[in-house]
Amino acid sequence: MLKIPEHKIPITELKTNFDVRIFIKREDLIHPKISGNKFWKLFFNVNQYLETHPVNPLLITFGGAYSNHIASVSAFGKEFAISTIGIIRGDELKNNWQENPTLSEASKNGMQFYFVSRADYQNKEKVTGKFSNRYPNALIIPEGGSNGSAVQGMQYILGNDTKDFDYLCTAVGTGGTIAGISKFAEAHQKVLGIKVVRDDSLETTIFPWSGKENFELKDADENRYGKISDENVRFINWFYKEYQIPLDPIYTGKMMQTIFELAEKGFFPKGSKILAFHTGGLQGIKGVNQLLKSKGRNLIDFGKFQF
């Protein structure tokens, strides 16, 4: 069975001029390749699966061209000697995926790819059924990794070092991370999710997993998934120069930018202690910079820091 990592994840206070104290928990440091919340989402899913499928295990999952989830599942498979298959959105990538940094790295980790059209990809039930028939003993993990088992795994993102905070904050994509934080938060804590997607159904998705009403969702300024504004890039570059902490442009960059904006507007009560979770995703920066460069836009630049 897979063991829980034993090393301590640092919590860093960010010096600001706000009337609140803002901290960030560096879950991106939990593993060099299986980053942040992705580790915990996979942890429970794979452990439960291995209890009944210890021989020739296979993980199948879904994702786009720059998916953190695809990257993490492939790295997870390599780390624990489990075969992996990625069902990739966009059959236009079939002949040139080697130029994509995320898919290229996932392939090096041993992941096999099946490329499906964007239209077919939308019908997850049909695609899942097809692969279930082809690989009946595989564990098929949903896009983003969010399900009931993932929510259970998220309890490990919390601990004695998170109990004294008034607010627990995370970026929200598919809802599993915030559901787990909400489910296992202390009674006095409020959970704030920063939406990076336009999905009005998220609240109804999260509540059954959490079972609590202690969470609130706020839209990021640019919450279309994968869309990155020049202001997003400016904030990420400024944040790194100010705090020497790299953020990604899809999740944590938008989350921290929104938290700062809310603090400046007085959303949080004076004196609040706010903890934001750095959920990883830095691998996607190479691909994002490729796109930004092709459009003649400013790049995410961390100097000598390698991502």
Side-chain angles (χ1 to χ4, degrees):
M1 301 301 290
L2 310 182
K3 295 182 179 180
I4 300 171
E6 296 180 354
H7 66 282
K8 185 177 178 62
I9 304 299
I11 293 178
T12 303
E13 182 170 5
L14 309 176
K15 301 300 181 183
T16 72
N17 293 323
F18 305 133
D19 290 330
V20 296
R21 297 174 67 190
I22 300 176
F23 299 75
I24 187 167
K25 188 165 190 266
R26 297 290 306 276
E27 289 289 332
D28 60 305
L29 300 178
I30 190 172
H31 188 280
K33 297 294 184 181
I34 313 166
S35 189
N37 60 338
K38 300 301 182 186
F39 187 97
W40 297 122
K41 283 185 172 183
L42 291 169
F43 181 80
F44 252 55
N45 271 290
V46 176
N47 260 341
Q48 291 178 338
Y49 168 67
L50 291 178
E51 288 179 357
T52 54
H53 296 79
V55 180
N56 298 324
L58 171 64
L59 308 180
I60 301 176
T61 197
F62 301 80
Y66 301 102
S67 167
N68 294 322
H69 180 63
I70 288 291
S72 293
V73 171
S74 73
F76 203 95
K78 181 179 180 180
E79 178 83 7
F80 299 107
I82 301 173
S83 298
T84 57
I85 292 175
I87 303 169
I88 309 301
R89 179 181 66 247
D91 52 4
E92 73 275 8
L93 298 165
K94 186 173 183 178
N95 296 322
N96 64 350
W97 62 263
Q98 295 89 345
E99 300 174 12
N100 177 289
T102 299
L103 298 183
S104 179
E105 184 67 20
S107 177
K108 291 177 183 177
N109 288 335
M111 177 174 273
Q112 298 180 44
F113 302 131
Y114 286 88
F115 295 91
V116 300
S117 70
R118 293 174 182 272
D120 288 343
Y121 188 87
Q122 296 304 313
N123 191 342
K124 294 288 197 314
E125 186 175 344
K126 182 178 179 180
V127 177
T128 298
K130 176 182 177 180
F131 279 85
S132 293
N133 291 332
R134 186 180 299 182
Y135 303 100
N137 294 320
L139 171 63
I140 299 183
I141 303 171
E143 184 177 23
S146 290
N147 56 19
S149 293
V151 170
Q152 290 296 116
M154 290 309 304
Q155 65 185 285
Y156 294 106
I157 209 170
L158 303 175
N160 290 330
D161 56 355
T162 66
K163 290 182 177 181
D164 292 335
F165 292 92
D166 302 302
Y167 284 85
L168 303 176
C169 305
T170 185
V172 179
T174 54
T177 298
I178 188 172
I181 293 173
S182 168
K183 183 180 181 71
F184 296 103
E186 299 297 309
H188 72 275
Q189 293 178 318
K190 298 178 181 178
V191 180
L192 181 65
I194 308 303
K195 289 172 56 179
V196 300
V197 295
R198 289 182 178 175
D199 184 352
D200 294 334
S201 70
L202 268 172
E203 191 164 334
T204 57
T205 299
I206 295 164
F207 179 74
W209 282 334
S210 164
K212 293 183 179 179
E213 297 181 344
N214 59 351
F215 67 91
E216 179 179 358
L217 300 178
K218 289 284 187 181
D219 287 330
D221 181 54
E222 177 55 89
N223 71 342
R224 288 180 297 161
Y225 187 74
K227 301 300 181 181
I228 303 155
S229 69
D230 290 336
E231 180 58 22
N232 296 149
V233 174
R234 184 206 66 77
F235 178 86
I236 289 168
N237 288 339
W238 169 83
F239 192 90
Y240 184 77
K241 290 178 182 178
E242 188 76 10
Y243 302 112
Q244 292 73 58
I245 297 175
L247 302 174
D248 86 286
I250 307 300
Y251 296 98
T252 57
K254 293 178 180 179
M255 173 191 68
M256 290 308 306
Q257 184 176 351
T258 303
I259 290 172
F260 273 47
E261 290 170 352
L262 290 172
E264 189 172 24
K265 295 175 181 177
F267 171 82
F268 303 103
K270 186 176 181 179
S272 295
K273 285 183 66 179
I274 302 157
L275 179 62
F277 292 95
H278 193 314
T279 50
L282 299 178
Q283 66 81 28
I285 292 175
K286 288 183 181 180
V288 166
N289 273 345
Q290 281 184 350
L291 293 175
L292 294 175
K293 186 176 181 179
S294 70
K295 297 178 180 180
R297 295 173 55 191
N298 292 332
L299 305 183
I300 296 169
D301 182 8
F302 299 149
K304 294 181 180 180
F305 178 84
Q306 296 296 312
F307 45 80

